[in-house]
Amino acid sequence: MIRKTDFYIDGAWVAPVTANDLAVINPADETAFATISLGSSADVDRAVAAARAAFAGWSQTSRDERLAKLESLATIYERRSDEMAKAISQEMGAPITLATRAQARAGLGHIKAFINVLREFEFEHALRDDARNEHIVYEPIGVCGLITPWNWPMNQVTLKVVPALAAGCTVVLKPSEVAPLSALLFAEIVHEAGFPKGVFNLVNGDGPTVGEAMSRHPGIDMMSFTGSTRAGIAVTKAAADTVKRVTLELGGKSPNIVFADADLPKAVAAGAAHCFNNTGQSCNAPTRMLVQRSVYDQAVKLATEAAESTKVGNPAEEGGHIGPLVSETQFNKVQGLIDAAIAEGARLVAGGPGRPEGFNRGYFVRPTVFADVTNDMTIAREEVFGPVLSMIAFDDEDEAVQVANDTAYGLSSYVQTGDPERAKRVAKQLRSGMVQLNGAGRASGSPFGGYKQSGNGREGGKWGLEDFLEVKAVSGWPI
């Protein structure tokens, strides 16, 4: 049994003010394998005090000083990547191959990408050539409270912590209490990299206690949150009294529009695989597949075959299978939404309720496909966060766009078509922060974030750095 109940505050591992042990559950076998402690508002006070004390010095460091620390962080992270992958696999059930190649590697990729951004970012410049005595200065916003989720733990930790530190901010991180071990390992890496005490602090805890205390804290200048829309609303309301900046990366119900002129077998297989990847626990998963009616029946057959060929297995084993959902709470939620889809008349063509054959424990679910879904069904409206694909037929381009945009969310959209002009035309009409055409991947440094109830702000690239900066205009700058 792993026991890691201390928090990282002011450059040292310290015991919580009041012990409040919590078991960390391995989702593959439902057994406790680690113990952490949940923090309190008193622990948040200590962490914020350390971050505030450190801000004066860290905010005045040079670009080169910050680059040196981040480069050390990247080197140590890379050396300990196998440890990171194992921690992620145990705590949230990602198969070890996925945990190594995608989950842990994403963290390293973001660290290196922000190093490149920091090297090139222009922190001071004239307003324009004909107004050179108007000087624009980008300055760190201050102490930042960062709340990260369990589904892509290092992806989100590095997307927040690294640009905040690069900007000259100091931080208090609250990782998910469901999957905290990877963040505790990250804190060890930060310590080894030699960041000054108080620049980075970590307090474990739940949202209603530690998350609420951070959001309300007058000593925190900005909150950056990734998680459910419900929790993001709570963070925003709690932060309102102190008028702090809030950036949010929330849920999604991303449409994947498949036109009849697309390479149908490729488009459907790739769309289903993307939906099921990470056991469906990705905010940008293409969970609504909108298919032109003339090829709809063929697409349903292809999606059924894709689901039936998707293997479910032990996350400790290498391979391309999917693992369990992260927790009993998540398992019950997904089962309830599958049941609701059946009750509302969606046609189940693959998977369905219960665990896959051969599993009698662990939070494993069956890769599931529903056909003949209408966009007013619960399964088409709510974020499932499980390997569940909803298929919806459409007649023409206008209807496809209308159905795609008929959602409270606006994180990502996907379009599959053989017509380049239609691809561009539809992409511009989709109300989402990201659009991927014909299976194209996202480039390094591309901004990640959404419209509507998918949040505000952007993570990654120069946009991710700018989120942690204030803009100051100085008139009369001597030239």
Side-chain angles (χ1 to χ4, degrees):
M1 175 73 73
I2 300 167
R3 185 170 181 85
K4 292 195 172 184
T5 54
D6 287 352
F7 305 143
Y8 187 76
I9 298 175
D10 206 22
W13 292 98
V14 299
V17 172
T18 303
N20 185 8
D21 286 0
L22 176 75
V24 182
I25 305 301
N26 184 329
D29 59 17
E30 303 179 46
T31 63
F33 74 98
T35 302
I36 63 166
S37 185
L38 298 178
S40 65
S41 60
D43 297 299
V44 173
D45 288 341
R46 288 196 298 172
V48 173
R52 292 223 70 84
F55 177 70
W58 183 249
S59 64
Q60 296 302 310
T61 54
S62 68
R63 182 199 310 261
D64 286 345
E65 288 175 282
R66 298 198 297 277
L67 278 170
K69 294 300 183 189
L70 292 177
E71 285 166 350
S72 178
L73 181 75
T75 298
I76 298 164
Y77 187 106
E78 188 164 18
R79 170 165 53 81
R80 303 188 71 175
S81 284
D82 287 345
E83 291 177 72
M84 186 63 76
K86 182 179 178 182
I88 293 170
S89 182
Q90 280 188 301
E91 68 187 2
M92 58 82 59
I96 191 62
T97 301
L98 178 72
T100 301
R101 296 179 182 175
Q103 290 270 7
R105 186 173 293 176
L108 180 60
H110 291 315
I111 297 169
K112 291 182 175 180
F114 280 120
I115 288 171
N116 291 332
V117 170
L118 179 57
R119 283 198 185 104
E120 299 173 0
F121 191 83
E122 192 174 13
F123 285 92
E124 297 187 27
H125 61 83
L127 176 64
R128 58 181 183 271
D129 287 344
D130 65 343
R132 295 188 61 80
N133 68 340
E134 186 82 9
H135 201 66
I136 304 301
V137 183
Y138 289 88
E139 298 180 340
I141 193 168
V143 175
C144 300
L146 313 176
I147 300 178
T148 55
W150 47 259
N151 61 317
W152 285 90
M154 276 304 103
N155 184 74
Q156 292 306 130
V157 166
T158 53
L159 275 172
K160 296 183 189 299
V161 171
V162 178
L165 299 185
C169 298
T170 57
V171 306
V172 178
L173 170 67
K174 188 202 87 66
S176 169
E177 72 277 18
V178 175
L181 297 184
S182 55
L184 290 167
L185 176 57
F186 183 80
E188 293 179 16
I189 294 170
V190 170
H191 182 80
E192 188 177 348
F195 283 83
K197 67 178 187 177
V199 168
F200 170 88
N201 306 274
L202 181 150
V203 177
N204 277 317
D206 60 20
T209 306
V210 171
E212 174 86 2
M214 289 170 62
S215 302
R216 292 192 180 279
H217 205 291
I220 289 180
D221 302 293
M222 171 183 172
M223 289 297 300
S224 177
F225 171 85
T226 297
S228 70
T229 298
R230 173 195 56 77
I233 292 169
V235 167
T236 304
K237 288 181 176 179
D241 288 343
T242 49
V243 200
K244 56 172 59 76
R245 183 182 300 176
V246 178
T247 61
L248 305 169
E249 199 272 281
L250 307 176
K253 196 68 187 175
S254 300
N256 184 8
I257 304 173
V258 182
F259 287 97
D261 61 357
D263 181 339
L264 197 66
K266 179 181 177 181
V268 174
H274 191 174
C275 177
F276 300 150
N277 184 49
N278 204 40
T279 318
Q281 298 170 127
S282 299
C283 52
N284 63 339
T287 53
R288 290 185 298 148
M289 185 177 286
L290 282 51
V291 183
Q292 198 153 21
R293 198 174 301 277
S294 61
V295 294
Y296 178 76
D297 289 342
Q298 184 182 354
V300 169
K301 181 180 178 182
L302 290 166
T304 302
E305 292 170 353
E308 290 175 345
S309 65
T310 299
K311 295 180 180 179
V312 181
N314 186 341
E317 297 175 357
E318 297 279 356
H321 53 279
I322 65 173
L325 295 171
V326 72
S327 66
E328 181 180 12
T329 298
Q330 191 63 23
F331 178 85
N332 291 337
K333 174 192 173 185
V334 171
Q335 295 298 317
L337 287 168
I338 290 173
D339 290 341
I342 294 169
E344 292 177 17
R347 177 163 58 100
L348 180 67
V349 296
R355 292 180 174 87
E357 185 177 350
F359 291 90
N360 59 12
R361 65 184 307 180
Y363 307 124
F364 296 93
V365 293
R366 304 169 68 191
T368 296
V369 178
F370 284 104
D372 304 344
V373 173
T374 58
N375 215 41
D376 58 350
M377 291 181 178
T378 303
I379 201 69
R381 309 302 296 181
E382 293 193 18
E383 186 176 40
V384 179
F385 237 53
V388 180
L389 177 65
S390 298
M391 302 190 70
I392 301 171
F394 69 86
D395 288 310
D396 57 28
E397 185 177 311
D398 288 343
E399 184 184 7
V401 171
Q402 185 275 322
V403 173
N405 288 336
D406 180 19
T407 172
Y409 298 108
L411 186 57
S412 192
S413 300
Y414 305 83
V415 180
Q416 323 300 327
T417 177
D419 182 343
E421 292 306 311
R422 174 155 58 192
K424 291 187 285 187
R425 187 169 60 243
V426 171
K428 290 181 178 180
Q429 296 179 75
L430 293 171
R431 298 291 296 166
S432 62
M434 300 171 287
V435 181
Q436 290 173 245
L437 304 176
N438 293 320
R442 300 181 67 253
S444 175
S446 176
F448 191 103
Y451 293 9
K452 301 188 280 186
Q453 291 186 29
S454 287
N456 53 63
R458 293 293 182 270
E459 295 185 319
K462 71 181 185 71
W463 298 271
L465 182 64
E466 288 173 349
D467 267 357
F468 293 96
L469 294 168
E470 289 281 20
V471 181
K472 177 182 288 182
V474 183
S475 302
W477 189 264
I479 55 175

